[in-house]
Amino acid sequence: MANGKVETYIGFCIKSGKISLGSGAISTLKGGVKLLVLDGTAAKNSQRLALKFKNRFDCPLIVCKSGFEVLVNREGAKIAAIRDEELAKAILRNLDDNYEICAEGSI
């Protein structure tokens, strides 16, 4: 997978600890979620859960069409929550063909 700007920004989130991976980790958050990223291969249940989180945190939801598990370096991961406002804005500004906005929200 080519390393584009979105992948670089998500890498920054991982290194700075500003990302929560998995629905269990996200469900414990009280707020502060600026962007949700969903794996395009996620099951219907995970998709519904992502929309629930999107409504709960009032943030945008994007779908990664391929390579999500490699991107976040966690096998089986299907959803991630970005908790840094500037990195979330940078990701949204630099979306490429591998990503699409599934649902709008405020950052």
Side-chain angles (χ1 to χ4, degrees):
M1 175 172 69
N3 206 16
K5 287 188 176 187
V6 172
E7 290 80 10
T8 301
Y9 290 130
I10 290 176
F12 290 156
C13 291
I14 292 169
K15 287 184 183 195
S16 66
K18 296 291 185 175
I19 192 169
S20 296
L21 297 171
S23 59
I26 296 170
S27 66
T28 64
L29 298 174
K30 301 294 183 203
V33 175
K34 306 300 179 187
L35 176 66
L36 291 167
V37 184
L38 178 68
D39 186 341
T41 65
K44 293 286 182 198
N45 232 12
S46 296
Q47 292 172 11
R48 277 189 292 247
L49 196 55
L51 287 173
K52 178 181 165 188
F53 289 142
K54 180 254 179 269
N55 291 330
R56 176 175 162 192
F57 298 117
D58 187 33
C59 64
L61 170 64
I62 62 172
V63 175
C64 176
K65 296 177 186 172
S66 67
F68 183 77
E69 291 178 358
V70 174
L71 174 63
V72 296
N73 198 24
R74 174 131 356 133
E75 189 173 330
K78 297 296 179 187
I79 188 169
I82 307 295
R83 301 187 322 267
D84 184 276
E85 184 173 343
E86 294 305 315
L87 288 171
K89 287 179 181 178
I91 290 168
L92 288 171
R93 276 193 308 266
N94 292 285
L95 293 179
D96 56 30
D97 293 340
N98 192 39
Y99 301 91
E100 70 179 58
I101 296 177
C102 179
E104 296 285 335
S106 59
I107 294 184

